[in-house]
């Protein structure tokens, strides 16, 4: 039997990548991942991604391209990753996560990613689109992460 697919999104906005910190299960809690979830029967990867990001973060996204490759997770599961553009909404950790963070260029190694996500994250950071500076940037333009009370992000 073929492996079940977990889809995850490298979500971009304003030249930054969204990272999500898992709150469960205990063995993964506290580690960072690209948000997503399991493909349901009859769904394409892109459809599953849009659904999962809506459910978990409350945002609308547009998948852009698949990052080549597939990474084994636990027994019976593989991870596939798409880049995606934030279309509307403010990401909030509604399910499975307790914190979100936007990472700008050079900030990809600042958090403790799940090991299995690292190759896709490295490629997603290489593909980071140029973006306008976020509103709260410092005068030097170096501040690129923002965290809001309650865990909502940007
Ligand atoms: N979403 C996501 N899951 C990942 C990543 N890396 C990784 O090892 N996983 C694991 C964690 C989970 O065991 C599994 C995905 O499960 P999930 O709990 O996010 O899936 P789901 O939203 O469909 O939830 P469920 O109700 O079916 O349990 O894959 C990743 O980058 N994103």
């Amino acid at each position: 039997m073929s492996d079940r697919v977990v889809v995850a999104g490298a979500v971009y906005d304003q030249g930054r990548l969204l990272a999500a910190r898992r709150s469960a299960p205990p063995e993964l809690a506290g580690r960072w991942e690209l948000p997503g979830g399991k493909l349901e029967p009859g769904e394409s990867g892109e459809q599953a991604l849009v659904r999962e990001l809506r459910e978990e973060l409350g945002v609308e996204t547009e998948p852009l391209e698949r990052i080549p490759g597939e990474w084994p997770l636990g027994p019976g599961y593989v991870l596939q990753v798409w880049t995606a553009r934030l279309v509307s909404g403010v990401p909030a950790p509604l399910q499975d996560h307790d914190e979100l963070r936007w990472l700008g260029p050079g900030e990809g190694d600042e958090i403790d990613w799940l090991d299995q996500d690292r190759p896709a994250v490295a490629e997603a950071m290489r593909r980071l689109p140029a973006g306008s500076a976020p509103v709260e940037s410092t005068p030097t333009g170096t501040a690129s992460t923002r965290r809001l009370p309650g865990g909502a992000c940007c």
Side-chain angles (χ1 to χ4, degrees):
M1 207 178 87
S2 58
D3 289 329
R4 268 194 82 184
V5 173
V6 171
V7 298
V11 178
Y12 298 131
D13 187 45
Q14 297 183 328
R16 303 164 304 163
L17 172 70
L18 186 64
R21 193 172 69 181
R22 282 200 77 97
S23 51
E27 61 274 18
L28 302 182
R31 308 282 301 277
W32 293 79
E33 69 173 12
L34 298 169
K38 300 179 188 96
L39 193 74
E40 298 292 344
E43 274 184 327
S44 68
E46 286 94 336
Q47 287 168 339
L49 183 68
V50 168
R51 174 184 55 75
E52 288 285 350
L53 296 176
R54 186 182 294 137
E55 288 172 3
E56 292 189 355
L57 306 173
V59 293
E60 295 302 318
T61 54
E62 178 194 3
L64 299 173
E65 51 192 6
R66 169 108 179 258
I67 293 187
E70 196 170 75
W71 296 274
L73 298 180
Y77 286 92
V78 291
L79 177 68
Q80 297 182 359
V81 177
W82 274 258
T83 60
R85 182 176 74 84
L86 183 64
V87 174
S88 65
V90 177
L94 305 177
Q95 266 181 22
D96 296 343
H97 304 112
D98 61 5
E99 187 169 343
L100 303 175
R101 228 182 122 167
W102 288 106
L103 302 170
E107 296 177 337
D109 293 332
E110 288 188 3
I111 55 177
D112 185 23
W113 291 101
L114 289 173
D115 295 335
Q116 52 273 28
D117 284 46
R118 289 176 190 271
V121 168
E123 183 56 30
M125 289 303 289
R126 279 193 283 275
R127 295 177 183 215
L128 202 62
S132 56
V135 180
E136 290 92 331
S137 284
T138 61
T140 55
T142 53
S144 51
T145 61
R146 284 177 283 162
R147 271 167 281 177
L148 303 176
C153 184
C154 317

Short mmCIF file of all heavy atoms in Angstrom, two decimals, residues 4-9 20 22 24-25 27-28 32-40 51-53 55-56 71-74 77-81 95-97 113-118 120-121, ligand 1:
data_model
loop_
_atom_site.label_atom_id
_atom_site.label_comp_id
_atom_site.label_asym_id
_atom_site.label_seq_id
_atom_site.Cartn_x
_atom_site.Cartn_y
_atom_site.Cartn_z
N ARG A 4 0.49 7.41 2.95
CA ARG A 4 -0.44 8.54 2.97
C ARG A 4 0.36 9.83 2.94
O ARG A 4 1.46 9.91 3.50
CB ARG A 4 -1.29 8.51 4.24
CG ARG A 4 -2.60 7.75 4.05
CD ARG A 4 -3.56 8.03 5.20
NE ARG A 4 -4.29 9.31 5.02
CZ ARG A 4 -5.13 9.79 5.93
NH1 ARG A 4 -5.33 9.15 7.07
NH2 ARG A 4 -5.77 10.93 5.71
N VAL A 5 -0.24 10.83 2.29
CA VAL A 5 0.47 12.10 2.09
C VAL A 5 0.03 13.13 3.13
O VAL A 5 -1.16 13.30 3.39
CB VAL A 5 0.20 12.65 0.67
CG1 VAL A 5 0.78 14.05 0.51
CG2 VAL A 5 0.77 11.70 -0.38
N VAL A 6 1.01 13.80 3.73
CA VAL A 6 0.78 15.00 4.54
C VAL A 6 1.25 16.18 3.69
O VAL A 6 2.40 16.19 3.21
CB VAL A 6 1.57 14.94 5.87
CG1 VAL A 6 1.49 16.28 6.60
CG2 VAL A 6 1.04 13.82 6.76
N VAL A 7 0.35 17.12 3.46
CA VAL A 7 0.73 18.31 2.68
C VAL A 7 1.04 19.45 3.64
O VAL A 7 0.40 19.59 4.68
CB VAL A 7 -0.39 18.75 1.70
CG1 VAL A 7 -0.66 17.66 0.69
CG2 VAL A 7 -1.66 19.13 2.43
N ALA A 8 2.03 20.24 3.29
CA ALA A 8 2.38 21.38 4.13
C ALA A 8 2.66 22.58 3.23
O ALA A 8 3.07 22.42 2.08
CB ALA A 8 3.58 21.07 5.00
N GLY A 9 2.42 23.77 3.78
CA GLY A 9 2.55 24.99 2.99
C GLY A 9 3.71 25.85 3.45
O GLY A 9 3.85 26.14 4.64
N ALA A 20 5.07 27.59 12.04
CA ALA A 20 4.06 27.31 13.06
C ALA A 20 4.63 26.34 14.08
O ALA A 20 5.25 25.34 13.71
CB ALA A 20 2.80 26.73 12.41
N ARG A 22 4.14 23.49 16.80
CA ARG A 22 3.14 22.46 17.13
C ARG A 22 2.87 22.44 18.62
O ARG A 22 3.78 22.58 19.44
CB ARG A 22 3.64 21.08 16.69
CG ARG A 22 3.51 20.82 15.21
CD ARG A 22 3.53 19.34 14.90
NE ARG A 22 2.27 18.71 15.22
CZ ARG A 22 1.31 18.45 14.34
NH1 ARG A 22 1.46 18.78 13.07
NH2 ARG A 22 0.20 17.87 14.71
N ALA A 24 0.88 19.74 19.72
CA ALA A 24 0.59 18.32 19.95
C ALA A 24 1.05 17.53 18.72
O ALA A 24 1.22 18.13 17.66
CB ALA A 24 -0.92 18.11 20.14
N PRO A 25 1.24 16.24 18.83
CA PRO A 25 1.27 15.40 20.03
C PRO A 25 2.52 15.71 20.86
O PRO A 25 3.40 16.45 20.39
CB PRO A 25 1.31 13.99 19.45
CG PRO A 25 2.02 14.16 18.13
CD PRO A 25 1.59 15.51 17.61
N GLU A 27 5.28 14.37 21.54
CA GLU A 27 6.63 14.17 20.99
C GLU A 27 7.00 15.22 19.94
O GLU A 27 8.17 15.38 19.60
CB GLU A 27 6.81 12.75 20.44
CG GLU A 27 5.89 12.36 19.30
CD GLU A 27 4.53 11.81 19.76
OE1 GLU A 27 4.13 12.04 20.94
OE2 GLU A 27 3.86 11.18 18.93
N LEU A 28 6.02 15.95 19.42
CA LEU A 28 6.31 16.99 18.43
C LEU A 28 6.08 18.40 18.99
O LEU A 28 6.49 19.39 18.38
CB LEU A 28 5.44 16.81 17.18
CG LEU A 28 5.55 15.48 16.43
CD1 LEU A 28 4.65 15.48 15.20
CD2 LEU A 28 6.99 15.18 16.04
N TRP A 32 8.90 23.41 15.42
CA TRP A 32 8.28 24.23 14.39
C TRP A 32 8.11 23.46 13.10
O TRP A 32 8.95 22.61 12.76
CB TRP A 32 9.12 25.48 14.15
CG TRP A 32 9.13 26.40 15.34
CD1 TRP A 32 9.86 26.27 16.48
CD2 TRP A 32 8.34 27.59 15.51
NE1 TRP A 32 9.59 27.30 17.35
CE2 TRP A 32 8.66 28.13 16.78
CE3 TRP A 32 7.41 28.25 14.71
CZ2 TRP A 32 8.08 29.30 17.27
CZ3 TRP A 32 6.83 29.42 15.19
CH2 TRP A 32 7.16 29.93 16.46
N GLU A 33 7.05 23.78 12.37
CA GLU A 33 6.76 23.09 11.11
C GLU A 33 6.14 24.05 10.12
O GLU A 33 5.78 25.19 10.46
CB GLU A 33 5.80 21.92 11.35
CG GLU A 33 4.38 22.39 11.72
CD GLU A 33 3.35 21.28 11.79
OE1 GLU A 33 3.73 20.09 11.77
OE2 GLU A 33 2.15 21.62 11.85
N LEU A 34 6.01 23.55 8.90
CA LEU A 34 5.20 24.23 7.90
C LEU A 34 3.76 23.74 8.10
O LEU A 34 3.54 22.53 8.14
CB LEU A 34 5.70 23.89 6.50
CG LEU A 34 7.15 24.32 6.22
CD1 LEU A 34 7.64 23.70 4.92
CD2 LEU A 34 7.27 25.84 6.18
N PRO A 35 2.79 24.62 8.27
CA PRO A 35 1.43 24.17 8.59
C PRO A 35 0.80 23.38 7.46
O PRO A 35 1.09 23.62 6.29
CB PRO A 35 0.68 25.49 8.82
CG PRO A 35 1.48 26.53 8.11
CD PRO A 35 2.90 26.08 8.16
N GLY A 36 -0.06 22.44 7.81
CA GLY A 36 -0.74 21.60 6.81
C GLY A 36 -1.40 20.43 7.49
O GLY A 36 -1.74 20.50 8.67
N GLY A 37 -1.57 19.34 6.76
CA GLY A 37 -2.20 18.16 7.35
C GLY A 37 -2.38 17.07 6.32
O GLY A 37 -1.84 17.15 5.22
N LYS A 38 -3.16 16.08 6.70
CA LYS A 38 -3.28 14.88 5.87
C LYS A 38 -4.22 15.09 4.69
O LYS A 38 -5.29 15.68 4.84
CB LYS A 38 -3.77 13.71 6.73
CG LYS A 38 -2.83 13.39 7.88
CD LYS A 38 -3.36 12.24 8.71
CE LYS A 38 -2.52 12.07 9.97
NZ LYS A 38 -3.10 12.75 11.15
N LEU A 39 -3.80 14.57 3.56
CA LEU A 39 -4.64 14.55 2.37
C LEU A 39 -5.85 13.65 2.61
O LEU A 39 -5.70 12.54 3.11
CB LEU A 39 -3.79 13.97 1.23
CG LEU A 39 -4.24 14.09 -0.20
CD1 LEU A 39 -4.07 15.52 -0.70
CD2 LEU A 39 -3.42 13.15 -1.08
N GLU A 40 -7.04 14.15 2.29
CA GLU A 40 -8.26 13.33 2.41
C GLU A 40 -8.53 12.65 1.07
O GLU A 40 -8.10 13.14 0.02
CB GLU A 40 -9.45 14.22 2.78
CG GLU A 40 -9.32 14.94 4.12
CD GLU A 40 -9.36 14.01 5.31
OE1 GLU A 40 -9.78 12.84 5.15
OE2 GLU A 40 -8.96 14.44 6.41
N ARG A 51 -7.45 23.78 2.18
CA ARG A 51 -8.39 23.43 3.26
C ARG A 51 -7.69 23.44 4.62
O ARG A 51 -8.20 24.01 5.60
CB ARG A 51 -8.99 22.04 2.98
CG ARG A 51 -9.85 21.52 4.12
CD ARG A 51 -10.36 20.11 3.87
NE ARG A 51 -9.32 19.13 3.59
CZ ARG A 51 -8.48 18.61 4.51
NH1 ARG A 51 -8.56 18.98 5.77
NH2 ARG A 51 -7.55 17.74 4.16
N GLU A 52 -6.53 22.81 4.69
CA GLU A 52 -5.82 22.73 5.98
C GLU A 52 -5.42 24.11 6.49
O GLU A 52 -5.52 24.40 7.68
CB GLU A 52 -4.57 21.84 5.87
CG GLU A 52 -4.88 20.35 5.75
CD GLU A 52 -5.32 19.72 7.08
OE1 GLU A 52 -5.20 20.38 8.12
OE2 GLU A 52 -5.80 18.58 7.05
N LEU A 53 -4.96 24.96 5.59
CA LEU A 53 -4.52 26.29 6.04
C LEU A 53 -5.72 27.14 6.48
O LEU A 53 -5.62 27.94 7.40
CB LEU A 53 -3.71 26.98 4.94
CG LEU A 53 -2.39 26.27 4.57
CD1 LEU A 53 -1.70 26.97 3.40
CD2 LEU A 53 -1.43 26.19 5.76
N GLU A 55 -8.48 25.79 7.87
CA GLU A 55 -8.91 25.23 9.15
C GLU A 55 -7.94 25.59 10.29
O GLU A 55 -8.35 25.94 11.39
CB GLU A 55 -8.96 23.69 9.06
CG GLU A 55 -10.09 23.15 8.22
CD GLU A 55 -9.99 21.65 7.99
OE1 GLU A 55 -9.07 21.00 8.54
OE2 GLU A 55 -10.82 21.13 7.25
N GLU A 56 -6.64 25.47 10.02
CA GLU A 56 -5.65 25.63 11.09
C GLU A 56 -5.28 27.07 11.38
O GLU A 56 -4.91 27.39 12.50
CB GLU A 56 -4.36 24.87 10.73
CG GLU A 56 -4.57 23.37 10.71
CD GLU A 56 -3.28 22.60 10.58
OE1 GLU A 56 -2.21 23.22 10.40
OE2 GLU A 56 -3.34 21.36 10.64
N TRP A 71 9.34 13.58 1.77
CA TRP A 71 10.15 13.26 2.94
C TRP A 71 9.38 12.32 3.87
O TRP A 71 8.23 12.63 4.24
CB TRP A 71 10.54 14.54 3.67
CG TRP A 71 11.41 15.38 2.79
CD1 TRP A 71 12.78 15.28 2.65
CD2 TRP A 71 11.00 16.40 1.86
NE1 TRP A 71 13.22 16.19 1.71
CE2 TRP A 71 12.16 16.89 1.20
CE3 TRP A 71 9.77 16.95 1.51
CZ2 TRP A 71 12.12 17.88 0.23
CZ3 TRP A 71 9.71 17.94 0.53
CH2 TRP A 71 10.88 18.41 -0.09
N PRO A 72 9.99 11.16 4.24
CA PRO A 72 9.29 10.22 5.13
C PRO A 72 9.03 10.84 6.49
O PRO A 72 9.88 11.54 7.04
CB PRO A 72 10.26 9.04 5.24
CG PRO A 72 11.52 9.43 4.58
CD PRO A 72 11.33 10.73 3.88
N LEU A 73 7.83 10.59 7.06
CA LEU A 73 7.51 11.10 8.40
C LEU A 73 7.57 9.92 9.36
O LEU A 73 8.62 9.44 9.67
CB LEU A 73 6.14 11.78 8.39
CG LEU A 73 6.03 13.00 7.48
CD1 LEU A 73 4.63 13.59 7.54
CD2 LEU A 73 7.06 14.05 7.84
N GLY A 74 6.43 9.46 9.82
CA GLY A 74 6.42 8.22 10.60
C GLY A 74 6.12 7.10 9.65
O GLY A 74 6.05 7.32 8.44
N TYR A 77 3.59 7.51 6.29
CA TYR A 77 3.31 8.90 5.89
C TYR A 77 4.52 9.54 5.22
O TYR A 77 5.65 9.28 5.60
CB TYR A 77 2.92 9.76 7.10
CG TYR A 77 1.54 9.46 7.61
CD1 TYR A 77 1.34 8.52 8.61
CD2 TYR A 77 0.41 10.10 7.07
CE1 TYR A 77 0.07 8.21 9.08
CE2 TYR A 77 -0.86 9.80 7.53
CZ TYR A 77 -1.03 8.87 8.53
OH TYR A 77 -2.29 8.57 8.97
N VAL A 78 4.23 10.36 4.20
CA VAL A 78 5.28 11.17 3.59
C VAL A 78 4.84 12.62 3.56
O VAL A 78 3.63 12.91 3.46
CB VAL A 78 5.64 10.72 2.15
CG1 VAL A 78 6.33 9.38 2.15
CG2 VAL A 78 4.42 10.73 1.25
N LEU A 79 5.81 13.51 3.59
CA LEU A 79 5.54 14.95 3.57
C LEU A 79 5.78 15.50 2.18
O LEU A 79 6.83 15.25 1.57
CB LEU A 79 6.48 15.64 4.57
CG LEU A 79 6.41 17.17 4.66
CD1 LEU A 79 5.07 17.61 5.26
CD2 LEU A 79 7.57 17.71 5.49
N GLN A 80 4.79 16.22 1.65
CA GLN A 80 4.96 16.97 0.40
C GLN A 80 4.70 18.44 0.71
O GLN A 80 3.81 18.76 1.50
CB GLN A 80 3.97 16.49 -0.67
CG GLN A 80 4.19 15.03 -1.06
CD GLN A 80 3.22 14.58 -2.16
OE1 GLN A 80 2.37 15.33 -2.61
NE2 GLN A 80 3.37 13.32 -2.56
N VAL A 81 5.47 19.32 0.06
CA VAL A 81 5.39 20.74 0.41
C VAL A 81 5.14 21.59 -0.84
O VAL A 81 5.76 21.37 -1.88
CB VAL A 81 6.69 21.19 1.11
CG1 VAL A 81 6.66 22.69 1.41
CG2 VAL A 81 6.90 20.40 2.41
N GLN A 95 -5.65 25.69 15.53
CA GLN A 95 -5.63 24.23 15.72
C GLN A 95 -4.21 23.75 15.62
O GLN A 95 -3.49 24.16 14.71
CB GLN A 95 -6.34 23.55 14.53
CG GLN A 95 -7.77 23.26 14.69
CD GLN A 95 -8.30 22.56 13.41
OE1 GLN A 95 -7.58 21.98 12.63
NE2 GLN A 95 -9.59 22.64 13.23
N ASP A 96 -3.80 22.87 16.49
CA ASP A 96 -2.50 22.16 16.36
C ASP A 96 -1.27 23.01 16.68
O ASP A 96 -0.17 22.47 16.76
CB ASP A 96 -2.29 21.56 14.96
CG ASP A 96 -3.29 20.49 14.62
OD1 ASP A 96 -3.95 19.97 15.55
OD2 ASP A 96 -3.43 20.16 13.42
N HIS A 97 -1.42 24.33 16.78
CA HIS A 97 -0.24 25.20 17.00
C HIS A 97 -0.49 26.15 18.16
O HIS A 97 -1.63 26.48 18.47
CB HIS A 97 0.07 26.01 15.73
CG HIS A 97 0.28 25.15 14.52
ND1 HIS A 97 -0.58 25.14 13.46
CD2 HIS A 97 1.24 24.25 14.25
CE1 HIS A 97 -0.15 24.26 12.56
NE2 HIS A 97 0.94 23.69 13.01
N TRP A 113 13.12 23.68 13.90
CA TRP A 113 12.24 22.99 12.96
C TRP A 113 12.24 21.49 13.24
O TRP A 113 13.24 20.92 13.66
CB TRP A 113 12.75 23.18 11.53
CG TRP A 113 12.63 24.57 10.99
CD1 TRP A 113 13.62 25.49 10.90
CD2 TRP A 113 11.45 25.19 10.44
NE1 TRP A 113 13.15 26.66 10.33
CE2 TRP A 113 11.82 26.49 10.04
CE3 TRP A 113 10.14 24.78 10.26
CZ2 TRP A 113 10.91 27.37 9.46
CZ3 TRP A 113 9.24 25.65 9.67
CH2 TRP A 113 9.63 26.94 9.29
N LEU A 114 11.11 20.83 12.97
CA LEU A 114 11.11 19.37 12.93
C LEU A 114 12.17 18.92 11.94
O LEU A 114 12.32 19.50 10.86
CB LEU A 114 9.73 18.86 12.47
CG LEU A 114 8.57 19.04 13.45
CD1 LEU A 114 7.25 18.65 12.79
CD2 LEU A 114 8.79 18.20 14.70
N ASP A 115 12.92 17.88 12.30
CA ASP A 115 14.03 17.43 11.44
C ASP A 115 13.55 17.16 10.01
O ASP A 115 14.22 17.51 9.04
CB ASP A 115 14.65 16.15 12.00
CG ASP A 115 15.30 16.39 13.35
OD1 ASP A 115 15.68 17.54 13.63
OD2 ASP A 115 15.39 15.43 14.14
N GLN A 116 12.38 16.51 9.90
CA GLN A 116 11.90 16.09 8.59
C GLN A 116 11.49 17.27 7.71
O GLN A 116 11.34 17.13 6.51
CB GLN A 116 10.74 15.09 8.73
CG GLN A 116 9.60 15.52 9.62
CD GLN A 116 9.81 15.19 11.09
OE1 GLN A 116 10.94 15.10 11.56
NE2 GLN A 116 8.71 15.00 11.83
N ASP A 117 11.31 18.46 8.30
CA ASP A 117 10.93 19.64 7.54
C ASP A 117 12.14 20.42 7.00
O ASP A 117 12.00 21.28 6.13
CB ASP A 117 10.11 20.61 8.40
CG ASP A 117 8.68 20.14 8.60
OD1 ASP A 117 8.50 18.96 8.91
OD2 ASP A 117 7.77 20.96 8.46
N ARG A 118 13.32 20.14 7.53
CA ARG A 118 14.46 21.02 7.24
C ARG A 118 14.83 21.13 5.75
O ARG A 118 15.09 22.24 5.28
CB ARG A 118 15.68 20.61 8.07
CG ARG A 118 15.50 20.95 9.53
CD ARG A 118 16.65 20.46 10.40
NE ARG A 118 16.32 20.61 11.81
CZ ARG A 118 16.56 21.69 12.54
NH1 ARG A 118 17.18 22.72 11.99
NH2 ARG A 118 16.20 21.75 13.80
N ALA A 120 12.91 20.88 3.09
CA ALA A 120 11.90 21.69 2.39
C ALA A 120 11.96 23.14 2.85
O ALA A 120 11.80 24.06 2.03
CB ALA A 120 10.50 21.11 2.64
N VAL A 121 12.22 23.35 4.13
CA VAL A 121 12.32 24.74 4.63
C VAL A 121 13.51 25.45 3.99
O VAL A 121 13.41 26.61 3.58
CB VAL A 121 12.46 24.75 6.17
CG1 VAL A 121 12.86 26.13 6.67
CG2 VAL A 121 11.14 24.31 6.82
N1 LIG B 1 1.21 19.57 9.09
C1 LIG B 1 2.45 19.11 9.16
N2 LIG B 1 2.65 17.93 9.73
C2 LIG B 1 3.92 17.50 9.79
C3 LIG B 1 4.99 18.24 9.30
N3 LIG B 1 6.14 17.55 9.54
C4 LIG B 1 5.77 16.43 10.18
O1 LIG B 1 6.51 15.54 10.58
N4 LIG B 1 4.40 16.37 10.33
C5 LIG B 1 3.64 15.29 10.96
C6 LIG B 1 2.93 15.72 12.20
C7 LIG B 1 1.72 14.83 12.22
O2 LIG B 1 2.09 13.59 12.82
C8 LIG B 1 1.42 14.59 10.75
C9 LIG B 1 0.37 15.53 10.22
O3 LIG B 1 -0.71 15.45 11.01
P1 LIG B 1 -1.68 16.66 11.32
O4 LIG B 1 -2.15 16.45 12.70
O5 LIG B 1 -1.04 17.98 11.00
O6 LIG B 1 -2.79 16.35 10.25
P2 LIG B 1 -4.31 16.78 10.24
O7 LIG B 1 -4.39 18.25 10.47
O8 LIG B 1 -4.87 16.23 8.98
O9 LIG B 1 -4.89 16.12 11.55
P3 LIG B 1 -5.69 14.83 11.93
O10 LIG B 1 -6.96 15.37 12.47
O11 LIG B 1 -5.88 13.93 10.75
O12 LIG B 1 -4.84 14.20 12.99
O13 LIG B 1 2.64 14.84 10.06
C10 LIG B 1 4.75 19.48 8.70
O14 LIG B 1 5.63 20.20 8.22
N5 LIG B 1 3.46 19.89 8.64
#
